[in-house]
Amino acid sequence: MKTQRFLVKSCLALLVSGAVFVSAHTFAQGPTKANTLSIGGPFEFTSQEPSQQGYLFTRMQVAETLVDVAPDGRLLPGLAESWDVDTSGLIWQFKVRDGVVFHDGQSLDASAVLNSIEQALKKHGPLSQVPIASLSALSDQTLQITLEQPYNLLPAVLAHYSTMIISPKAYNSEGHVDQLLATGPYQIDTVQPPHKVVVKRFDGYWGQVASIEYAEYLTGHRGESRSLQARSGQADITLTLDPASMNSLNRERHLTLHSDLIPRSILIKLNSGHPFLDHIDARQALSLALDRTGIANAILRVPGSEANQLVPSSLAAWHRQDLPPAARDLQRAKALLTELGWQAGADGVLVREGERFSLKLITYADRPELTTVATAIQAQLAELGVEVKVEVTNSSAIPSGHQDGSLEMALIARNYGFIADPLGVMIADFGQLGGGDWGAMNWQNPEVVELITSLKVEQDTDAYLQKSQRVAEVLAQELPLIPVTFYTQQTAVNTRVKHFRFDPFERNYYVNEMELSK
């Protein structure tokens, strides 16, 4: 009997230990702290649609594009290993990379690429601006795009996240993406909008297979939340940090801080049709009243980031080296407004024909420094006699206010690397009379429209430079948007992360190049 009891107990013990082993083994197959890289960022997401939140899924390396972009802005082979254009500038052929498979096991070929491009054409994005006459798969690995007229930007547009190449099986019957099946070194594991997405290593990747098994993106809408993510270790890489938090984070031994210049600028978007802002002297007065050096040093803590024009020097074709540096001249600013008929009122706010010089400036908290910079601008323009009412809202209020005409002023961070060639952004912002959602508003300059239109087809390098420099000059003179500072991305990286590098075009987190220390 004792022997039987012993055998029963022994069997039970083996079963229990086996269950524990199976449970532990099963758990080890999912995301854990040890096998997961956590990335904290500011932007919420609502879907897996390439045209909407595709930027998140290219950064997390789930999806890829035909053309890639180097950190210096050069266009590189992506899923297209090469491309050619004929002498007319109309017929482009892209050689699709061989040996690539989607996350569902289907092979990448020209017909799959063709399907993705056709789907992208039906949705919002820069591809809709390309004058495409026809698309065709000439062979299993050759895609041909025929244009109605030359369009130099085509390869740069095909590097944009909205043109990511995904499996035909990813689309439902209505052409929407329910499950993103692409070609990247990571594939979707779980998606929990709007705050979390988890990706897992794809061992069938055509390029460098990842070392880290899982990666997750965690949304921290407020700058304070992201600082806490970094400090607590909840996030291994924390992006878009408030400059004010950098000193305290620098004291944390488990963190390494990075400051990287990116092709983005902080600007004041103006309604140039507003009766207070429709004269160039009024816009120049507002610009002259800004203490950009104070903002760069005290708020952004990046001395030398003052902006005297819209586009930073890293995008040389669109940046004029001969423009004078930005400098505050409050006396000249006041004189310009006096010449326009403005006089100081009883409370110090300027008045003209019974109207107070009062404007609303909207901004958004996704970029944490914007709210602080907006407050500084409010105080600096008050010294000029201009009352500014600051409202922090959702970033969608800016294109909405542009469209319905209600926007007066907005503080924005404009990404001139949104497309690898800034011409793409210039087309959107200034390529038509009246401007664009994130560019000029009610500003009329036929010369700029004509120059930008001609740049779409300009094949001569010297002529291109001459025209782009002229556009930069006019924008700096007429100020449909007022430049404030050039942008620096602040990032905290946990010391357990090895081989971190930052993409200034914000297309790729390079997770497959990183490792986690044991």
Side-chain angles (χ1 to χ4, degrees):
M1 183 66 71
K2 289 182 178 179
T3 303
Q4 288 178 331
R5 289 197 195 100
F6 175 80
L7 289 171
V8 170
K9 288 181 179 179
S10 298
C11 290
L12 286 171
L14 286 170
L15 287 170
V16 170
S17 63
V20 170
F21 173 79
V22 171
S23 176
H25 179 73
T26 302
F27 181 72
Q29 299 310 301
T32 67
K33 180 67 175 175
N35 68 10
T36 303
L37 178 82
S38 293
I39 300 172
F43 298 108
E44 297 181 347
F45 61 96
T46 58
S47 74
Q48 297 178 55
E49 280 287 341
S51 62
Q52 296 175 17
Q53 273 90 35
Y55 64 86
L56 176 60
F57 298 102
T58 53
R59 293 178 191 184
M60 293 298 290
Q61 295 189 296
V62 174
E64 299 173 299
T65 50
L66 283 176
V67 180
D68 203 353
V69 182
D72 62 3
R74 289 178 297 112
L75 297 178
L76 301 174
L79 291 178
E81 61 183 26
S82 63
W83 58 89
D84 296 292
V85 59
D86 73 346
T87 55
S88 71
L90 298 177
I91 299 175
W92 294 74
Q93 291 186 359
F94 294 82
K95 179 71 165 57
V96 178
R97 193 177 294 275
D98 199 9
V100 178
V101 294
F102 290 106
H103 299 148
D104 59 5
Q106 179 176 332
S107 294
L108 174 73
D109 58 19
S111 64
V113 173
L114 176 63
N115 183 66
S116 288
I117 299 299
E118 288 177 336
Q119 293 290 345
L121 276 169
K122 299 174 185 178
K123 298 168 186 176
H124 178 74
L127 191 63
S128 63
Q129 302 299 314
V130 180
I132 294 177
S134 65
L135 300 165
S136 58
L138 297 185
S139 68
D140 286 347
Q141 303 304 131
T142 304
L143 174 77
Q144 180 168 295
I145 300 178
T146 303
L147 304 180
E148 295 173 349
Q149 62 184 36
Y151 194 80
N152 297 330
L153 274 176
L154 179 59
V157 169
L158 293 176
H160 188 258
Y161 63 78
S162 63
T163 67
M164 64 173 63
I165 306 304
I166 59 181
S167 170
K169 294 181 181 178
Y171 298 97
N172 63 24
S173 59
E174 297 178 346
H176 300 302
V177 177
D178 293 327
Q179 182 182 6
L180 193 62
L181 300 165
T183 62
Y186 285 90
Q187 58 188 317
I188 296 292
D189 184 67
T190 57
V191 177
Q192 300 172 6
H195 298 302
K196 183 177 181 179
V197 60
V198 179
V199 299
K200 60 183 177 182
R201 181 176 59 212
F202 178 51
D203 291 327
Y205 182 54
W206 62 270
Q208 180 177 339
V209 176
S211 168
I212 300 172
E213 190 172 355
Y214 289 91
E216 64 180 5
Y217 179 89
L218 305 171
T219 300
H221 185 64
R222 296 178 61 86
E224 298 92 330
S225 302
R226 293 194 298 283
S227 294
L228 184 59
Q229 285 177 336
R231 187 173 285 108
S232 67
Q234 181 187 16
D236 297 304
I237 299 172
T238 313
L239 301 152
T240 319
L241 289 165
D242 182 349
S245 69
M246 297 299 279
N247 283 343
S248 62
L249 291 175
N250 197 38
R251 294 193 289 269
E252 300 286 346
R253 293 186 177 182
H254 67 286
L255 296 177
T256 301
L257 304 185
H258 298 258
S259 295
D260 296 280
L261 291 173
I262 61 177
R264 186 185 294 271
S265 302
I266 295 179
L267 315 166
I268 304 174
K269 174 181 167 74
L270 301 173
N271 181 354
S272 296
H274 192 286
F276 299 171
L277 303 171
D278 60 359
H279 198 287
I280 186 173
D281 286 351
R283 301 192 295 272
Q284 288 179 339
L286 297 186
S287 180
L288 288 167
L290 297 181
D291 180 6
R292 294 172 174 84
T293 300
I295 291 172
N297 294 346
I299 298 177
L300 302 181
R301 308 191 184 196
V302 184
S305 62
E306 302 93 328
N308 63 342
Q309 55 193 295
L310 300 187
V311 180
S313 59
S314 57
L315 301 171
W318 293 87
H319 180 93
R320 288 197 66 113
Q321 296 288 349
D322 57 350
L323 292 178
R328 193 182 202 208
D329 189 341
L330 194 58
Q331 183 176 355
R332 174 61 180 155
K334 289 180 176 180
L336 287 172
L337 293 184
T338 299
E339 292 170 9
L340 292 175
W342 293 99
Q343 299 294 327
D347 60 356
V349 176
L350 295 173
V351 178
R352 184 178 67 182
E353 297 178 355
E355 289 189 291
R356 290 161 51 84
F357 203 140
S358 180
L359 296 167
K360 181 170 75 172
L361 182 147
I362 63 174
T363 192
Y364 47 96
D366 291 344
R367 301 278 172 185
E369 62 287 326
L370 291 183
T371 54
T372 309
V373 172
T375 303
I377 290 172
Q378 180 185 49
Q380 291 169 8
L381 294 185
E383 295 181 57
L384 180 61
V386 175
E387 180 182 62
V388 175
K389 300 174 181 177
V390 175
E391 178 181 321
V392 180
T393 182
N394 191 288
S395 58
S396 62
I398 292 166
S400 175
H402 178 98
Q403 293 296 329
D404 67 20
S406 63
L407 185 145
E408 296 178 345
M409 302 168 66
L411 187 67
I412 65 175
R414 188 61 169 137
N415 182 8
Y416 289 102
F418 178 70
I419 298 173
D421 186 333
L423 175 58
V425 179
M426 293 295 170
I427 292 170
D429 289 358
F430 309 105
Q432 55 281 322
L433 291 175
D437 288 354
W438 292 89
M441 180 176 179
N442 294 322
W443 178 69
Q444 311 291 330
N445 191 297
E447 181 192 6
V448 167
V449 173
E450 182 179 345
L451 285 168
I452 289 175
T453 300
S454 68
L455 281 166
K456 297 177 188 179
V457 299
E458 182 58 69
Q459 310 237 2
D460 182 87
T461 303
D462 292 337
Y464 187 102
L465 180 61
Q466 184 179 12
K467 292 177 180 180
S468 61
Q469 290 279 289
R470 174 57 182 162
V471 172
E473 179 183 31
V474 174
L475 295 176
Q477 291 172 343
E478 298 202 6
L479 297 172
L481 290 90
I482 297 176
V484 182
T485 63
F486 299 127
Y487 201 93
T488 299
Q489 173 72 277
Q490 311 283 7
T491 309
V493 180
N494 195 293
T495 52
R496 84 184 190 115
V497 178
K498 308 302 178 185
H499 313 307
F500 167 82
R501 69 176 172 124
F502 179 76
D503 177 11
F505 285 87
E506 300 180 282
R507 300 179 72 255
N508 194 336
Y509 291 148
Y510 301 121
V511 181
N512 68 323
E513 298 180 6
M514 294 186 238
E515 297 178 4
L516 296 177
S517 60
K518 304 298 183 184

